[in-house]
Amino acid sequence: MSPTDDTAAADIAPNPPQPALRLHRELSRVWANDRGFWGQITAVSHTTLGLRFMATAFVFFAIGGILSMLIRAQLATHQGAFLDTELYNQIFTMHGSIMMFLFAIPMLEGLGIWLLPKLLGTRDMAFPRLTALGYWCYLFGGLIMLTALLFGVAPRDGWFMYTPLSDATHSPGINADVWLLGVTFVEISAIAAAVEITVTILRQRAPGMKLTEMPLFAWYMLGTSVMMLVGFPPLIAGSVLLEVERAFDWPFFDPLRGGDPLLWQHLFWLFGHPEVYIIFLPAAGAMSTIIPVMCRTPILGYGAIVAAILGLVFLSFGLWVHHMFTVGIPHMALAFFSAASVLVAVPTAVQVFAWIGTMWKGRPELHLPMLHILGFFLTFVMGGLTGVMLAIVPFNWQAHDTAFVTAHLHYVLIGGFVFPMMAAATYWMPLITGKARVNGLGEAAFWVILLGFHGTFFIMHLTGLLGMPRRIDVYPDNPEWVGLNLTSSIFGFVLTIGFAMFALDLILQACLGKRARRDPWQAPTLDWAMLVPAPNYNFAALPLLRHQNMPARDAIQALARGEGALAGAPRARREVLVTSVTNARPCHVALLPGNTALPLVLSASIGVFVLLMLGSLYVLAALALVPVAVLVWVWVRGMAPMGDLHPVAVAPELRLPVHHHARSPTLAQSGLQALLVADGALFASLLFGVGFLSVVTQGPPAPPPLAGGGGVGLALASIVCALALAAASARLARGAAAAAATASPLWPWAGVVCNLVALVLLAWVAFQLDDPRIHARDALRAAMAGYVGLHILVAAAMAAFAADQFRRGEIAVATGGGAIPAWANWQMFTAVTTGITVAVFMVQAGVT
């Protein structure tokens, strides 16, 4: 079969059976981690890193839980002297920051990284080194924040960091900088995971697993990753702008100089409300996977659930002002966002009814995972109802910033995320540890958690309705508040005991449990069609359509004997199958990198930059970016073609090229496209800032823009022309590389020259602009110039890398064009964003 034939995956013949033990040993040698401590440093396996994400997130959850106990101890009495105000504010801020940024997001990332390849029928994520980089950035960013807490310089302005409370005047010292830089460092992990998950779902499904037939968990994670790509950049943009304001006095949020504190709230909640659904969707995906198994029946309403997922993804970005009803926005906007906030309950209700219908249709078995799911129903539905209450503007005005909102938030997050995650943990623990549960303790832990949670947070609805504000460390001796707070604090400690019992149950299962049998739940999904515990390679042969349509217990033996696609590891390298987006038609074979310490070294280099920024050593911080750039170059150099690049026998009648020779888009090209979605959202956030301040600001008028006059205008036009020529060079180079006989380094070098000319002109323009410390408009213009300059510099580096590949002869070998397609995409994006930036500059000049 020719690799270009559009043949249905159902026609792919399976490989002949082979000895299962030989295949297992062969694959284990290729996919195994290195031994000892060094093996933990260099591991890039999705199984190892997914578990590491989840274990680290659980540790942070425990730390956040301890901080919550300190908060409840302080609030148990009305004049609590347990903590002073400064320490209480640090603990309050760190509790929220840990739970949102260091627990919830990394936990869902870890579950997706660990589980998706097993459900999709592949051996690893699309970019193993990127997974490792994301983990180390997450760990180092979290440790920076925890270390600041130990030394008493933790952030203290709330996990939302509202301006002007968090600016340099009202929050001196490095406390706020720890949050801004630490969270931005952690967000590298989130964006990396989003790119990874998106590409893996779209390009690495088992042959024949159509997009419309893949497991629901994959749909949930695809929606989550898209929301992360679009929702996280506004927070990154806001954090960078606020850090620049604190460090260099650029007045983005200073109303006396044309800024506006509400700009921070808009950027933060453009992330913050989609964040709720980013957390909820993976948990809902776990429930959509577990409920049919526990009820012995297929999920009800697959298509309706997929539609609900897409509806949630779309609607979640129209809700951010839900958190800003009291800031004085126009009544028309209040009505719109109130309606949108009520409307989002519809797709959520569709999923809840589908789950209830599945249980009604089936025969529910009250195993421990099912108990936690029932806890979800009881808790999350109550949180959803209070959310609808808060969506009504008059009620929101009364309840805003009271304990009622705190209670609602915890009902949604713990009900909608923690209970499903506990169900997921107890469901997949046999696959993780190879051990069966020790009965008794887990059930007791569930009831203690359920009692402790509702005892803690249901009462907080009442204190909120009685007028008690949130974010306070002491409160008046109001009789109606004191007793309720004391009761809530007591139940808070009960809740903590329940979580400790849950953790102990998992530890006992891992250490003392009996050996688990394969597929203990008799599940229909591919995640159980493998050895227990799951090996690093997952499948000895990738499941074909016939294996995907049979119960896991029937597919285990066939796949273990290699009766699928791409059986074993006969070439002693890590190979995965890349398929088309919609129909999962086999396209080519991707060769994944092996174990390496490069992600750790690169993340440590980024960490040095962050620490130097915290120390206000800005010159040294700029120099610290040099090793980061060098390591990125080394990283990409490791993707160059080497060794045997002949077509691979995937099945008896199917041979596919390796990705260096592929004419279809490679995983790297798909990954860059996903990254450019996030990059575009970041640029849109800057444009939002320009538009918002242009319309809303009541500060003093800005000085005349573009002080250089006509020379600046000519330079801006020349920048656009130079980048247009660079984009044309990239397209010509891409076309030349497709015909290897005519390939030449001329076009990449032309791209280098054009980009450098544009960069020099942009630097000259930057020196002509007004001082960005004078007015917010000037500061935003400088920020956009910096954004464009960074992209031009990267484009020049990518063109130089492509020219270097020509010099090494790698383009001639790789008919896929090496780095040229990636450079072409980046160059076009840079040209477009630069053109928009220049247009903004010129419009501002014309208006003034």
Side-chain angles (χ1 to χ4, degrees):
M1 183 188 301
S2 167
T4 59
D5 288 341
D6 191 10
T7 306
D11 298 334
I12 299 177
N15 281 295
Q18 303 177 52
L21 183 59
R22 180 179 65 79
L23 287 179
H24 172 67
R25 289 172 175 171
E26 180 180 284
L27 285 158
S28 295
R29 282 194 300 272
V30 173
W31 290 86
N33 300 334
D34 296 335
R35 295 179 180 272
F37 178 75
W38 184 247
Q40 299 302 311
I41 297 295
T42 60
V44 295
S45 164
H46 84 98
T47 296
T48 300
L49 291 171
L51 293 176
R52 194 177 294 174
F53 261 106
M54 290 189 284
T56 307
F58 191 83
V59 171
F60 281 119
F61 177 73
I63 295 171
I66 292 172
L67 297 180
S68 71
M69 293 171 65
L70 299 178
I71 293 171
R72 287 313 320 171
Q74 173 71 11
L75 296 177
T77 58
H78 71 282
Q79 290 293 337
F82 188 71
L83 302 169
D84 61 42
T85 299
E86 171 69 16
L87 185 55
Y88 178 87
N89 287 338
Q90 291 189 26
I91 289 174
F92 162 79
T93 301
M94 284 297 296
H95 167 71
S97 300
I98 286 173
M99 291 305 193
M100 297 299 288
F101 299 108
L102 302 182
F103 164 63
I105 295 297
M107 178 63 77
L108 69 88
E109 291 171 10
L111 179 63
I113 289 168
W114 180 80
L115 183 58
L116 276 173
K118 296 172 173 56
L119 280 172
L120 297 176
T122 187
R123 289 178 176 147
D124 208 330
M125 299 294 285
F127 310 109
R129 293 185 300 178
L130 188 62
T131 308
L133 175 68
Y135 173 77
W136 293 117
C137 288
Y138 157 53
L139 179 64
F140 291 160
L143 290 178
I144 288 173
M145 296 178 72
L146 286 183
T147 303
L149 179 62
L150 291 177
F151 285 93
V153 290
R156 60 196 170 201
D157 304 305
W159 71 275
F160 33 79
M161 295 294 289
Y162 281 169
T163 56
L165 295 178
S166 56
D167 64 21
T169 301
H170 298 90
S171 183
I174 69 169
N175 303 66
D177 302 306
V178 168
W179 191 96
L180 295 168
L181 292 169
V183 166
T184 303
F185 196 7
V186 171
E187 295 310 298
I188 296 174
S189 170
I191 296 297
V195 170
E196 183 93 270
I197 289 168
T198 302
V199 176
T200 300
I201 293 173
L202 294 180
R203 302 301 311 282
Q204 280 187 239
R205 302 190 307 279
M209 184 183 287
K210 295 181 180 179
L211 200 62
T212 54
E213 298 174 356
M214 66 181 181
L216 278 173
F217 183 82
W219 271 111
Y220 279 103
M221 289 305 302
L222 180 61
T224 300
S225 62
V226 171
M227 292 170 71
M228 291 168 70
L229 289 174
V230 179
F232 278 56
L235 175 63
I236 295 173
S239 298
V240 171
L241 295 182
L242 182 52
E243 179 60 27
V244 170
E245 179 178 291
R246 289 176 55 85
F248 305 112
D249 196 30
W250 291 16
F252 302 107
F253 310 105
D254 181 1
L256 298 179
R257 290 180 287 169
D260 196 318
L262 287 184
L263 175 59
W264 168 263
Q265 288 198 38
H266 280 288
L267 292 175
F268 182 86
W269 291 117
L270 275 167
F271 148 82
H273 205 89
E275 160 88 342
V276 175
Y277 300 99
I278 288 170
I279 292 172
F280 168 70
L281 284 181
M287 290 194 301
S288 293
T289 304
I290 298 170
I291 289 175
V293 177
M294 295 292 108
C295 297
R296 305 298 170 202
T297 185
I299 190 76
L300 183 69
Y302 177 99
I305 292 176
V306 172
I309 295 169
L310 298 178
L312 272 177
V313 171
F314 176 77
L315 290 173
S316 67
F317 289 100
L319 307 178
W320 79 92
V321 180
H322 174 89
H323 298 266
M324 301 171 60
F325 283 167
T326 62
V327 301
I329 62 177
H331 285 189
M332 182 65 74
L334 287 177
F336 173 83
F337 287 104
S338 177
S341 300
V342 174
L343 183 62
V344 79
V346 175
T348 305
V350 168
Q351 297 169 78
V352 172
F353 282 124
W355 296 327
I356 293 174
T358 302
M359 291 188 288
W360 186 272
K361 182 179 68 170
R363 302 185 307 277
E365 300 175 359
L366 289 182
H367 299 293
L368 184 56
M370 196 65 192
L371 288 179
H372 287 296
I373 287 173
L374 294 177
F376 155 83
F377 280 108
L378 175 63
T379 307
F380 181 76
V381 171
M382 292 177 64
L385 291 174
T386 57
V388 174
M389 294 168 65
L390 289 169
I392 307 304
V393 174
F395 180 84
N396 188 292
W397 284 348
Q398 299 300 316
H400 184 74
D401 266 351
T402 68
F404 186 94
V405 178
T406 305
H408 158 72
L409 176 67
H410 285 82
Y411 264 80
V412 170
L413 294 183
I414 294 183
F417 183 73
V418 176
F419 274 108
M421 285 298 102
M422 290 190 293
T426 53
Y427 178 76
W428 278 294
M429 272 298 283
L431 191 59
I432 294 172
T433 64
K435 303 290 185 64
R437 283 193 57 243
V438 178
N439 291 325
L441 184 59
E443 287 79 3
F446 164 75
W447 290 110
V448 173
I449 291 171
L450 189 68
L451 176 65
F453 173 79
H454 287 280
T456 302
F457 294 104
F458 183 81
I459 291 174
M460 293 177 69
H461 289 103
L462 305 180
T463 55
L465 291 174
L466 290 171
M468 180 175 174
R470 60 196 295 204
R471 308 166 191 157
I472 58 172
D473 58 326
V474 295
Y475 50 91
D477 186 14
N478 292 347
E480 65 273 22
W481 292 1
V482 174
L484 292 175
N485 271 297
L486 179 60
T487 304
S488 186
S489 293
I490 292 172
F491 277 103
F493 283 86
V494 173
L495 176 63
T496 303
I497 293 171
F499 282 127
M501 293 170 63
F502 176 81
L504 179 61
D505 180 54
L506 297 185
I507 293 171
L508 290 177
Q509 178 174 352
C511 298
L512 302 178
K514 296 180 180 179
R515 183 172 179 81
R517 67 181 188 275
R518 295 181 184 179
D519 189 19
W521 305 110
Q522 299 179 17
T525 47
L526 288 173
D527 50 323
W528 292 101
M530 61 185 67
L531 298 175
V532 176
N536 277 0
Y537 61 83
N538 293 332
F539 303 98
L542 304 185
L544 301 174
L545 203 55
R546 66 196 70 196
H547 305 118
Q548 301 164 32
N549 293 329
M550 63 177 65
R553 62 180 179 275
D554 298 331
I556 291 174
Q557 295 297 332
L559 294 176
R561 292 192 298 264
E563 298 178 29
L566 205 62
R571 289 158 293 277
R573 61 195 187 193
R574 300 186 179 189
E575 299 174 340
V576 296
L577 191 62
V578 180
T579 55
S580 61
V581 172
T582 54
N583 296 325
R585 178 177 56 84
C587 296
H588 58 267
V589 174
L591 309 183
L592 300 185
N595 301 322
T596 174
L598 186 58
L600 172 64
V601 178
L602 179 55
S603 60
S605 299
I606 300 172
V608 170
F609 166 78
V610 170
L611 292 174
L612 291 172
M613 287 292 294
L614 279 175
S616 300
L617 303 172
Y618 302 122
V619 175
L620 292 178
L623 294 176
L625 292 176
V626 174
V628 173
V630 171
L631 288 169
V632 171
W633 186 283
V634 172
W635 181 300
V636 182
R637 280 289 306 128
M639 300 167 62
M642 59 183 63
D644 177 17
L645 298 179
H646 297 298
V648 174
V650 174
E653 299 180 1
L654 177 63
R655 297 178 68 84
L656 295 175
V658 296
H659 69 273
H660 303 97
H661 288 285
R663 296 187 180 275
S664 58
T666 63
L667 294 177
Q669 293 171 34
S670 298
L672 179 62
Q673 291 167 357
L675 180 62
L676 289 179
V677 171
D679 202 352
L682 181 66
F683 182 69
S685 300
L686 294 176
L687 292 179
F688 175 87
V690 172
F692 181 80
L693 293 185
S694 299
V695 173
V696 174
T697 179
Q698 298 298 316
L706 304 180
V712 172
L714 179 61
L716 290 172
S718 300
I719 291 171
V720 174
C721 292
L723 292 179
L725 290 174
S729 298
R731 291 183 65 85
L732 291 170
R734 190 171 189 172
T742 62
S744 166
L746 172 64
W747 297 120
W749 281 121
V752 172
V753 172
C754 290
N755 279 295
L756 291 179
V757 169
L759 196 61
V760 171
L761 290 172
L762 182 65
W764 182 82
V765 169
F767 280 108
Q768 306 305 311
L769 297 178
D770 294 311
D771 188 344
R773 294 172 296 181
I774 296 175
H775 195 274
R777 192 194 63 186
D778 301 314
L780 269 173
R781 188 185 295 133
M784 293 184 70
Y787 172 92
V788 166
L790 177 62
H791 282 70
I792 295 173
L793 183 62
V794 172
M798 294 176 77
F801 185 86
D804 186 58
Q805 280 195 314
F806 272 109
R807 183 182 64 83
R808 295 174 179 271
E810 294 166 357
I811 299 291
V813 175
T815 57
I820 289 178
W823 167 45
N825 288 335
W826 183 273
Q827 190 71 66
M828 180 59 66
F829 179 87
T830 301
V832 171
T833 53
T834 302
I836 295 173
T837 300
V838 169
V840 169
F841 284 11
M842 300 306 291
V843 166
Q844 287 181 335
V847 169
T848 302

